[in-house]
């Protein structure tokens, strides 16, 4: 399709409170499901502020095909019908045609979702709902069409699960505000947010921008999908289903009025999904902000966690706060203890002493984990990276010693260091965090 010029697209986004200096092209201009008319309406607005005809864009063959490609790329387990990504791919043209036909004639109904428990970093588990492949395709198609409508309304302080934004952007904003002296923080935690969002109020927000009854029925149907867990079955009355494609968008939409309230009240809020902080210049300002947040949360059917919501001066030792993976305290940035434990667990899983693979095979397996973790936490103190490098080499030495001598060892003896030196692991291509940190600080 013919598109608006990149210049006008960027201007339109900046006119709706895009981050200052952001020059990314409007991501939805690449949507194959859109049209010149829709792009123009996104830029200029629609009459009455509501969209009345969207289902035709959802059911387009191009939209469903692109949605299927995204679902296939994300992989994932089979739902209650047992149909896997591989089975769907084997006859994808037929299945997509059937799916489109059901959507067009109105006979499509979401299937129940399978509920499983997945481990968390603290040894606990969290519930995850697995929709069928067909339901994931429909949800993806819906998201592709409706996300631009809400995205153009969302505020610049919201970073979670949004196109062109992410954790690092939120962390940069927090760091900037702290350096400008906004060290008094409201560290708020919404208790079981994704399980407690009221459906009626959420749908009222959706209906504030969308009047297409068939699209609304699909969204409502996904919110009320029956849940199957072992021998139990039930229908939820609250919450945005964890694991559903639409959940992040709907979760952002429900907190959008809070973003607006904080912005209009002059507070500096940085939010990543349901995790948010308000950075203030004084304790009195932070206390007042917490009062406003508490009133809004209570009025909207949510709950602040009493043990995890607090006001403090993050410039003082012991009064810091956690925000996506990091801990900000006394002018420094640390790796959150929970994040460090989860990382060590991943490394342990891949470096058990009984592993019989060759060193280069093990290193090839763990290097992506090391690089990814360092890429996110490279702003932490270098002392941590030195310690992690030592732990990883010690575990590798323990594997090698057991392979050669058939007995366990901690890999800490002088003989181990002499036999498998740091240089040996470097020759095998082991990613070294301390070296990467030094290069990042002082580029060659």
């Amino acid at each position: 399709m013919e598109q608006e010029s990149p210049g006008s697209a960027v201007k339109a986004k900046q006119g709706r409170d895009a981050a200052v200096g952001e020059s990314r092209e409007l991501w939805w201009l690449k949507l194959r499901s859109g049209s010149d008319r829709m792009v123009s309406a996104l830029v200029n607005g629609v009459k009455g502020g509501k969209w009345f005809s969207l289902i035709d864009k959802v059911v387009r063959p191009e939209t469903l095909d692109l949605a299927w490609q995204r679902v296939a790329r994300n992989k994932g387990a089979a739902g209650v019908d047992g149909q896997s990504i591989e089975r769907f791919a084997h006859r994808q043209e037929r299945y997509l045609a059937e799916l489109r036909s059901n959507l067009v004639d109105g006979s499509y109904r979401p299937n129940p979702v399978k509920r499983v428990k997945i481990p968390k970093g603290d040894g606990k588990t969290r519930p995850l709902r697995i929709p069928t492949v067909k339901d994931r395709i429909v949800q993806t198609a819906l998201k592709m069409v409706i996300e631009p409508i809400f995205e153009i309304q969302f505020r610049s302080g919201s970073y979670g699960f949004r196109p062109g934004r992410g954790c690092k952007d939120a962390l940069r904003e927090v760091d900037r505000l702290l350096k400008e002296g906004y060290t008094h923080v409201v560290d708020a935690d919404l208790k079981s947010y994704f399980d407690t969002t009221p459906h009626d109020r959420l749908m009222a927000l959706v209906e504030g921008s969308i009047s297409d009854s068939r699209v609304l029925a699909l969204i409502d149907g996904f919110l009320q999908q029956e849940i199957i867990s072992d021998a139990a079955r039930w229908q939820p009355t609250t919450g945005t289903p964890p694991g559903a494609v639409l959940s992040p968008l709907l979760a952002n939409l429900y907190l959008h009025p809070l973003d607006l309230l904080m912005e209009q009240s002059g507070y500096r809020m940085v939010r990543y999904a349901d995790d948010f902080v308000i950075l203030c210049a004084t304790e009195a300002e932070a206390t007042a902000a917490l009062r406003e947040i508490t009133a809004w949360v209570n009025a909207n059917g949510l709950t602040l966690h009493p043990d995890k919501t607090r006001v403090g001066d993050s410039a003082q030792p012991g009064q810091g706060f956690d925000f996506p993976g990091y801990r900000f305290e006394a002018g420094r940035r640390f790796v959150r203890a929970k994040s460090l434990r989860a990382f060590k667990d991943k490394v342990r899983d891949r470096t058990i002493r009984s592993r019989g693979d060759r060193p280069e095979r093990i290193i090839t397996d763990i290097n992506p984990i090391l690089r990814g973790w360092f890429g996110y936490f490279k702003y932490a103190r270098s002392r941590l990276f030195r310690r992690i490098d030592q732990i990883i080499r010690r575990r590798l030495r323990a594997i090698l010693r057991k392979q050669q001598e058939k007995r366990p060892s901690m890999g800490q003896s002088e003989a181990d260091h002499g036999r498998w030196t740091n240089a040996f692991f470097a020759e095998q291509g082991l990613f070294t965090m301390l070296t990467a940190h030094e290069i990042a600080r002082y580029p060659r």
Side-chain angles (χ1 to χ4, degrees), residues 314-421:
S314 63
Q316 303 302 317
Q319 297 190 45
F321 62 95
D322 297 332
F323 195 66
Y326 277 96
R327 181 165 183 81
F328 294 85
E329 185 173 318
R332 293 180 177 178
R333 193 190 294 193
F334 304 89
V335 177
R336 186 183 178 188
K338 183 178 178 181
S339 302
L340 186 57
R341 283 196 303 270
F343 167 72
K344 288 181 178 179
D345 288 343
K346 285 184 180 180
V347 172
R348 287 191 193 100
D349 289 343
R350 288 164 175 78
T351 55
I352 56 175
R353 291 173 194 161
S354 59
R355 183 165 180 174
D357 292 325
R358 295 174 61 84
E360 57 268 27
R361 177 80 175 268
I362 301 172
I363 288 171
T364 299
D365 189 22
I366 65 174
N367 266 350
I369 297 173
L370 305 183
R371 287 195 179 94
W373 195 86
F374 174 79
Y376 188 78
F377 290 107
K378 62 185 176 183
Y379 298 105
R381 303 182 70 187
S382 60
R383 182 166 48 187
L384 172 64
F385 302 131
R386 181 182 289 107
R387 190 166 78 247
I388 289 175
D389 287 339
Q390 291 170 346
I391 291 171
I392 291 169
R393 285 192 291 257
R394 187 166 68 237
R395 294 190 67 84
L396 291 173
R397 289 185 181 110
I399 294 172
L400 293 170
R401 179 165 182 154
K402 179 154 185 162
Q403 288 177 356
Q404 293 196 6
E405 301 183 9
K406 305 301 181 185
R407 67 175 182 234
S409 168
M410 287 302 294
Q412 292 178 291
S413 70
E414 291 186 11
D416 290 337
H417 283 277
R419 189 179 306 176
W420 301 293
T421 63

Side-chain angles (χ1 to χ4, degrees), residues 84-233:
S84 64
I85 293 290
E86 292 74 20
R87 283 182 58 190
F88 192 97
H90 187 64
R91 307 181 72 176
Q92 66 183 66
E93 291 184 6
R94 174 183 169 182
Y95 289 142
L96 286 174
E98 291 175 352
L99 187 58
R100 181 175 187 274
S101 177
N102 292 338
L103 286 166
V104 169
D105 65 24
S107 62
Y108 170 84
R109 296 291 182 275
N111 292 282
V113 293
K114 181 166 65 175
R115 186 177 186 263
V116 298
K117 292 182 178 180
I118 60 174
K120 294 172 64 176
D122 54 5
K124 299 178 182 179
T125 61
R126 67 180 179 88
L128 182 69
R129 301 177 198 175
I130 304 176
T132 63
V133 173
K134 288 183 179 180
D135 284 347
R136 298 207 292 271
I137 293 170
V138 176
Q139 286 196 45
T140 302
L142 268 173
K143 182 173 180 283
M144 287 166 52
V145 172
I146 70 172
E147 186 173 38
I149 295 168
F150 297 113
E151 176 63 26
I152 207 164
Q153 303 172 31
F154 289 161
R155 316 314 293 169
S156 60
S158 169
Y159 292 89
F161 307 111
R162 293 183 59 190
R165 287 169 167 252
C167 281
K168 292 182 180 180
D169 300 303
L171 290 168
R172 275 191 286 268
E173 179 64 6
V174 167
D175 189 60
R176 182 186 71 81
L177 289 168
L178 288 172
K179 288 176 179 176
E180 290 183 3
Y182 298 97
T183 61
H184 292 269
V185 62
V186 179
D187 186 7
D189 185 272
L190 291 171
K191 188 175 181 180
S192 302
Y193 171 64
F194 287 92
D195 294 326
T196 57
T197 311
H199 286 174
D200 55 346
R201 294 178 180 177
L202 176 56
M203 286 304 300
L205 289 171
V206 176
E207 292 166 9
S209 296
I210 295 174
S211 289
D212 188 316
S213 59
R214 294 180 63 185
V215 166
L216 292 173
L218 284 174
I219 296 172
D220 192 49
F222 284 122
L223 287 175
Q224 299 186 48
Q225 277 177 291
E226 189 177 27
I227 300 170
I228 298 178
S229 179
D230 298 325
R233 300 173 71 110

